[in-house]
Amino acid sequence: GLSYTLHYTYSRNLGDDGTTRSAFAVPAAVSSNGMALAGNNRADRSLTATDIPENLNIYGVDELPFGKGHIGGDNFLVRNLLGGWALSGIFSYYSGTPLQIVGSGCTTPSQGTCMPDLNPNFHGSVRMNGSWGKGITAAHLNAIQYINPQAFQSPAAFALPQSAIAAGATPITKIGDAPRSAVLGLRNPGKYNLDMSLRRSFNITPERVKFIFQVDCTDVTNKTTFGGINVTWSPASTVLGQVSSVSGNRDFQFSGRVNF
């Protein structure tokens, strides 16, 4: 009485779309699809913002083994109370997408989006204060910082000769060396969800008229998933890694209908 389908995908999504270092425009750059770009997207080819390494889906129906011809078939109560029920469900899981840390401090040759440098003197995990969402409530989502800003530093600048410094020249900022995406393994939280239904058909007449009762439950485990993680870094950042959104809400629905 059990039928099910399992589908699993392991993948890697590479591209030059999404966050780019707009502060370092290279007008001659061309993307992988041949389109001219205003910035150096091609130089930032890496994991895309939609890269999901693992995606698992399981769904199926199980006719519960009670009642006539099954467990307790000789018992009046078992046949009438437990017999004929079918349990179905859909379970899904997918990995978190890469975080794309962007920085400030790229002021020359132009202002815009850039990536910070990795701090060579930083040791340990870039994550801090536990797992995503630990210790916060829905009323104070942004109360805790989960990414350590000390793991990054402002991009260095090219050294200028004394004559240029005396003339008031502004140092040219180098391109930050942090990867465009998934820097230091940073990713959004993964997510899983379980939806289930319980259903039984009752005969009103021997063949034609039936009453069908069904209970549906979405997000059975009431799993909370945090999102909206702040990815903007600055030397004195107090918001990098803060959470700004939450999803997940268990919900029941009861229904009955007559088929004829």
Side-chain angles (χ1 to χ4, degrees):
L2 173 65
S3 62
Y4 65 92
T5 298
L6 184 150
H7 180 264
Y8 175 76
T9 301
Y10 182 77
S11 64
R12 184 177 177 86
N13 193 335
L14 297 172
D16 50 24
D17 56 323
T19 301
T20 58
R21 303 171 208 253
S22 62
F24 298 91
V26 183
V30 176
S31 72
S32 56
N33 60 13
M35 298 295 291
L37 300 169
N40 59 339
N41 296 44
R42 181 64 179 171
D44 272 326
R45 182 174 173 81
S46 60
L47 294 174
T48 68
T50 57
D51 175 63
I52 301 176
E54 295 186 90
N55 192 328
L56 172 67
N57 293 276
I58 306 172
Y59 55 92
V61 178
D62 184 17
E63 297 177 1
L64 300 184
F66 303 101
K68 186 177 180 179
H70 300 287
I71 299 173
D74 297 331
N75 186 290
F76 176 82
L77 291 177
V78 173
R79 287 198 311 270
N80 288 277
L81 296 179
L82 299 181
W85 290 97
L87 182 68
S88 60
I90 302 174
F91 174 82
S92 59
Y93 165 80
Y94 52 88
S95 307
T97 54
L99 288 177
Q100 298 185 316
I101 305 297
V102 295
S104 60
C106 298
T107 56
T108 53
S110 61
Q111 293 184 346
T113 300
C114 67
M115 284 71 187
D117 272 354
L118 297 175
N119 183 355
N121 298 316
F122 178 82
H123 302 284
S125 174
V126 66
R127 292 292 306 278
M128 59 190 294
N129 296 323
S131 58
W132 299 117
K134 182 179 180 180
I136 62 177
T137 65
H140 301 90
L141 288 176
N142 58 355
I144 296 178
Q145 194 171 15
Y146 296 99
I147 299 177
N148 193 335
Q150 300 303 314
F152 307 95
Q153 63 184 22
S154 296
F158 289 101
L160 293 177
Q162 289 298 322
S163 58
I165 296 176
T170 302
I172 297 176
T173 306
K174 295 181 180 180
I175 297 176
D177 62 15
R180 179 174 68 94
S181 61
V183 54
L184 299 176
L186 288 173
R187 285 181 173 268
N188 284 294
K191 183 175 183 179
Y192 69 81
N193 182 68
L194 175 64
D195 299 334
M196 300 194 74
S197 294
L198 186 64
R199 173 177 173 171
R200 182 177 175 182
S201 176
F202 298 87
N203 291 333
I204 297 178
T205 65
E207 295 183 6
R208 293 182 61 89
V209 184
K210 299 178 183 294
F211 173 73
I212 298 174
F213 174 74
Q214 185 165 330
V215 181
D216 300 305
C217 180
T218 58
D219 193 11
V220 174
T221 62
N222 203 32
K223 173 68 168 64
T224 299
T225 302
F226 297 93
I229 297 170
N230 189 293
V231 294
T232 303
W233 177 87
S234 64
S237 176
T238 59
V239 299
L240 180 69
Q242 287 184 354
V243 170
S244 63
S245 67
V246 63
S247 62
N249 185 30
R250 183 189 294 124
D251 187 38
F252 284 93
Q253 174 178 283
F254 298 85
S255 64
R257 71 177 187 269
V258 176
N259 284 5
F260 57 90

